Amino acid sequence: MKFDTVIIGGGLSGLVCGIRLLQHGHRCAIVSSGQSALHFSSGSFDLLNALPDGEVVTNPQKSVKDLIRMSPCHPYAKLGGDKFCELAGESEAFLRGIGLSFQGDSMGNHYRITPMGTLKPTWLSTSDFAVSKSERELPWRKVSIFNIAGFLDFYPQFIADEFAKIGTKSDIHLFSLPGLDHLRRNPSELRSTNIARILDKESNKDELIRILGKAAPDSDAIIFPACFGLENANMLPALGRATGKPIYLIPTLPPSIIGIHTQQYMHDYFIHSGGVYMLGDTVKRADVEDNRVTKVYSYNHGNIPFSANNIVLATGSYFSQGLIATRSRVYEPVFDLDVSFNSDRKDWYNRNMFDSQNYQEFGVKTNETFNALRKGKVVENLYVSGAVLEGFNPVKEGSGAGVSILSALFIADKILSK
């Protein structure tokens, strides 16, 4: 099977790279083993929330030079400050251009509301999310918070308590629908994905309008768990128009409806643009000759190889087994690429789980153009994108989505320039 580019990994980074290539006429295939980390995401995309020394970042474009100085192996350092700023703007235009609606920009982080009601800086949030421009106040004097009776992945009282600390009052409403009763019999079934399939039904619209109509007359907005939009993107706007109050979502604990929707939407966009998406398959090995990948082989296709002018490795980190950790080493399982990690296992982690963990920064080594290194040599047509890269801590820095998107666009443009 012959393609211009084969991408290994169908998460955020792989899909962004693939869609960009398809937009310029490349024949592109994605090989994906299963669910991506998007299914467990908050629904917001972080670009840069903190520097390695812990300093809070308010403007990623202004702070990227300090990051590069502190972390010279960081993916953003390989891009360089100017390219970072350029790609950040291109990323926003790219996502909106394919039909994903986000609020925010790289000139200044805003604050999304977490499932516990606290405020966390971020780069882009879906347009329906409850956000604030300031961490010290919310844009509403009073809100009405709604939750499904028995739903344990959303905490209205915690949210109300946190809101009260920064001057916003709340009233709380619990409700149910007949369609939710069978889910409630088993608490493990009363999850956001199952709830969304019921709330998205047009047959429940009138009852939801009646329930939301109980919001306090003096409330400025309605707050609701992110349990809409899995199968019906029109329901939430319709409810807002009917109630006469803006309705904002707060993410629940995983699984993430917004993340799943984003994954499905980008997957469908890739397919409709002419891409080949092979779900449930895993690349197991490759032929490398003269520092070029000539063929890759997957489990499902046996001895029938994929051949392409370019290969992009976007397999993610430990979560998706893009990196494998044993007691003595960390390795990349497909190409056996060079991986940076500390030789002493005691240096991999810190016993305080809330401190920075060194293993988060382990990853595949690349040159300045994200070509993979194998036995110290550059693999000319193999590029590495996203969470599998070395040199950054996505948790402490709040940079995971940014690295995935910016490296994907950079690599796609590098391929297209050949």
Side-chain angles (χ1 to χ4, degrees), residues 327-347:
R327 291 198 62 82
S328 59
R329 71 183 185 117
V330 177
Y331 68 94
E332 186 280 312
V334 178
F335 300 95
D336 194 24
L337 301 175
D338 295 348
V339 173
S340 62
F341 65 94
N342 295 337
S343 57
D344 189 343
R345 198 172 193 278
K346 294 178 182 178
D347 295 331

Side-chain angles (χ1 to χ4, degrees), residues 30-51:
I30 289 177
V31 182
S32 176
S33 61
Q35 290 182 352
S36 80
L38 276 174
H39 286 235
F40 306 93
S41 72
S42 67
S44 295
F45 291 157
D46 295 339
L47 182 63
L48 182 62
N49 298 341
L51 295 177

Side-chain angles (χ1 to χ4, degrees), residues 173-186:
H173 305 265
L174 298 180
F175 73 93
S176 185
L177 290 172
L180 296 171
D181 290 341
H182 74 281
L183 297 179
R184 196 170 290 105
R185 296 171 190 166
N186 184 346

Side-chain angles (χ1 to χ4, degrees), residues 240-258:
R241 291 191 296 269
T243 58
K245 291 182 183 292
I247 302 175
Y248 297 108
L249 302 179
I250 291 180
T252 68
L253 296 182
S256 166
I257 295 298
I258 302 300

Side-chain angles (χ1 to χ4, degrees), residues 23 25 37 55 59 67 78-79 141 154 174 257 294 326 331 334-335:
Q23 288 174 335
E55 181 182 345
N59 185 326
L67 174 73
K78 293 178 180 179
L79 292 174
R141 183 181 54 82
F154 188 73
L174 298 180
I257 295 298
T294 57
T326 68
Y331 68 94
V334 178
F335 300 95

Side-chain angles (χ1 to χ4, degrees), residues 21-85:
L21 291 171
L22 289 172
Q23 288 174 335
H24 290 80
H26 269 230
R27 179 165 165 74
C28 185
I30 289 177
V31 182
S32 176
S33 61
Q35 290 182 352
S36 80
L38 276 174
H39 286 235
F40 306 93
S41 72
S42 67
S44 295
F45 291 157
D46 295 339
L47 182 63
L48 182 62
N49 298 341
L51 295 177
D53 63 1
E55 181 182 345
V56 175
V57 170
T58 56
N59 185 326
Q61 290 202 21
K62 287 185 177 180
S63 296
V64 70
K65 291 182 179 178
D66 293 326
L67 174 73
I68 292 171
R69 174 176 50 81
M70 296 178 190
S71 299
C73 290
H74 199 287
Y76 292 162
K78 293 178 180 179
L79 292 174
D82 292 341
K83 194 65 176 178
F84 168 88
C85 296

